[in-house]
């Protein structure tokens, strides 16, 4: 490779250029969506920078501590939430925000309102920060019919209405995976340019995978179909090799690996959490949207995940998502259980 020539390249597909190309597919577009995405990207860059120096900047301490100057120290997930709220409000393109960190939805002041709703988890997996495990931001974007009369009901839409979804993973590199409803693309942050560059074009999940990802510490509380599926992963009856278990415990990292390598990510309901643990609006829906766009499936144990209609902004749901054939297998186990019942 001619490294000198590579260093001079300016024909790279940046995320901005990619989004503008997508905008060109919609002649009626006024660029609002593109501006909104550019503000999300800016938020991701800011958080990536903060994550990289979290230990040095004491950002992993408990919120509420004060430093020697008497300034309040901010925990990284609190800081990340402020970053995204400010970035989204200042875009002038949002009218309502739903964050994992805020109990209530945030309604944007009228002068700054736009036509989009963004649901996001500013720092998913933040309990893993201290040990250096990959963490990330997850987001989903909806359009609101009437920005001047927006209510909570406008937010509680099924995932099938989602316009775009993505996540940004802060790990060994900073990777942003995005779908605007036309396939899935992955971008990696080049720190020397400060730009996200297209590195994973048109991601397609393998039809069947060799990995399953689940917290087996909850096994004693699982329902029969989940227990049976995991048993089949470990002890296949058809002579095939067992699946490998890979579980990081950070949804962004586990789903990212599943998307690239195939397999299945499971977070089932159990006796302790009969409604599941993951939140519908800003975890289940965006990840299910990305999986379907990449050719996979997402299932709740009862229905297609994107067809759920949440009743509250922090509703939870079980979720099985990943390779088409693997999810098909768990669907058949649930179907056979309900036919027996």
């Amino acid at each position: 490779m001619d490294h000198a020539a590579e260093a001079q390249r300016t024909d790279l597909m940046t995320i901005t250029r990619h989004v503008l190309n997508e905008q060109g597919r919609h002649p009626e577009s006024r660029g609002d969506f593109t501006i909104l995405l550019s503000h999300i990207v800016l938020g991701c860059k800011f958080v990536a920078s903060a994550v990289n120096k979290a230990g040095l900047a004491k950002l992993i301490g408990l919120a509420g501590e004060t430093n020697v100057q008497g300034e309040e120290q901010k925990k990284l997930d609190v800081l990340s939430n402020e970053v995204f709220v400010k970035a989204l409000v200042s875009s002038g393109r949002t009218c309502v925000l739903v964050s994992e960190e805020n109990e209530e939805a945030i309604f944007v002041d009228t002068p700054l309102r736009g036509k989009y709703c963004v649901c996001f988890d500013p720092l998913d997996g933040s309990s893993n920060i201290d040990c250096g495990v990959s963490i990330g931001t997850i987001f989903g974007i909806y359009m609101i019919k009437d920005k001047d009369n927006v209510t909570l009901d406008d937010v509680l839409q099924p995932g099938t209405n989602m316009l775009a979804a993505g996540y940004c993973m802060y790990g060994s590199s900073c990777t942003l995976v995005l779908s605007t409803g036309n396939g899935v693309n992955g971008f990696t942050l080049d720190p020397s340019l400060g730009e996200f560059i297209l590195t994973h074009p048109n991601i397609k999940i393998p039809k069947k995978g060799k990995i399953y990802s689940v917290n087996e510490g909850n096994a004693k509380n699982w329902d029969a179909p989940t227990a049976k599926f995991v048993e089949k992963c470990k002890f296949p009856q058809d002579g095939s090799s067992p699946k490998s278990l890979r579980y990081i415990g950070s949804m962004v990292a586990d789903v990212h690996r599943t998307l690239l390598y195939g397999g299945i990510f499971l977070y089932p309901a159990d006796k302790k959490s009969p409604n599941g643990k993951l939140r519908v609006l800003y975890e289940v829906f965006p990840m299910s949207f990305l999986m379907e766009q990449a050719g996979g499936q997402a299932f709740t144990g009862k229905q297609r995940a994107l067809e759920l209609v949440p009743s509250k902004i922090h509703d939870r749901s079980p979720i099985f998502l990943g390779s088409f054939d693997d999810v098909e297998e768990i669907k058949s186990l649930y179907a056979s259980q309900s036919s027996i019942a």
Side-chain angles (χ1 to χ4, degrees):
M1 182 190 285
D2 183 346
H3 290 286
E6 282 294 303
Q8 303 301 321
R9 282 189 63 188
T10 52
D11 60 343
L12 298 164
M13 179 60 78
T14 65
I15 193 165
T16 309
R17 184 176 156 202
H18 172 80
V19 170
L20 285 169
N21 285 355
E22 287 291 302
Q23 182 185 316
R25 296 159 58 91
H26 304 278
E28 74 287 357
S29 170
R30 293 173 40 236
D32 288 344
F33 187 68
T34 306
I35 290 167
L36 173 60
L37 277 174
S38 73
H39 279 251
I40 291 173
V41 168
L42 179 63
C44 292
K45 288 178 185 174
F46 191 104
V47 173
S49 171
V51 167
N52 284 340
K53 52 177 186 262
L56 293 170
K58 301 275 192 294
L59 289 165
I60 53 180
L62 292 172
E65 290 180 358
T66 55
N67 62 15
V68 288
Q69 284 85 23
E71 296 165 336
E72 189 177 10
Q73 298 264 299
K74 290 207 170 102
K75 204 173 162 188
L76 198 52
D77 46 4
V78 177
L79 175 71
S80 303
N81 189 51
E82 287 184 11
V83 165
F84 278 102
V85 169
K86 285 176 181 169
L88 291 165
V89 171
S90 67
S91 74
R93 301 301 183 275
T94 57
C95 55
V96 59
L97 309 175
V98 173
S99 167
E100 193 258 351
E101 292 286 327
N102 294 96
E103 206 171 315
E104 306 290 334
I106 299 166
F107 290 92
V108 179
D109 291 340
T110 309
L112 282 171
R113 276 192 188 175
K115 58 186 176 184
Y116 296 106
C117 162
V118 181
C119 304
F120 62 99
D121 185 344
L123 208 60
D124 180 74
S126 53
S127 61
N128 287 315
I129 294 166
D130 292 28
C131 60
V133 169
S134 295
I135 49 182
T137 299
I138 311 171
F139 60 91
I141 303 172
Y142 294 92
M143 191 181 287
I144 300 296
K145 294 183 192 76
D146 183 358
K147 66 178 185 181
D148 297 318
N149 295 299
V150 62
T151 67
L152 210 50
D153 288 339
D154 292 311
V155 178
L156 303 172
Q157 303 185 42
T160 46
N161 292 356
M162 201 171 265
L163 291 181
Y167 59 81
C168 188
M169 185 175 72
Y170 314 109
S172 55
S173 58
C174 178
T175 307
L176 198 153
V177 174
L178 174 70
S179 175
T180 54
N182 183 37
V184 182
N185 292 281
F187 304 82
T188 303
L189 183 63
D190 180 338
S192 63
L193 293 174
E195 286 280 6
F196 280 99
I197 309 298
L198 180 64
T199 49
H200 297 75
N202 197 24
I203 297 169
K204 293 288 178 201
I205 186 169
K207 196 157 187 287
K208 191 174 177 64
K210 298 175 182 172
I211 296 172
Y212 73 104
S213 183
V214 66
N215 181 359
E216 289 212 45
N218 294 329
K220 70 170 189 172
N221 296 312
W222 287 343
D223 61 15
T226 303
K228 203 167 184 178
F229 178 82
V230 172
E231 186 74 6
K232 284 174 78 175
C233 288
K234 294 196 276 196
F235 305 101
Q237 301 296 305
D238 58 3
S240 62
S241 299
K243 289 186 189 298
S244 298
L245 169 65
R246 297 283 184 270
Y247 186 69
I248 299 163
S250 173
M251 189 192 190
V252 169
D254 279 312
V255 169
H256 186 66
R257 185 201 55 250
T258 305
L259 196 60
L260 295 185
Y261 298 162
I264 186 166
F265 170 84
L266 308 88
Y267 212 122
D270 57 36
K271 289 171 193 158
K272 285 192 302 179
S273 308
N275 297 319
K277 283 278 294 266
L278 297 178
R279 273 64 58 101
V280 173
L281 279 175
Y282 41 83
E283 290 174 328
V284 170
F285 278 171
M287 293 309 201
S288 300
F289 185 87
L290 290 165
M291 275 299 166
E292 287 197 4
Q293 285 291 320
Q297 291 196 78
F299 177 63
T300 67
K302 293 179 180 171
Q303 66 184 114
R304 177 187 173 205
L306 289 178
E307 289 176 353
L308 273 173
V309 182
S311 57
K312 298 191 294 292
I313 62 171
H314 298 298
D315 264 8
R316 299 170 188 261
S317 170
I319 187 66
F320 306 88
L321 49 79
S323 294
F324 192 94
D325 288 355
D326 293 323
V327 178
E328 203 60 34
E329 202 172 321
I330 196 118
K331 282 165 77 175
S332 67
L333 287 169
Y334 272 99
S336 59
Q337 185 199 43
S338 58
S339 64
I340 294 164

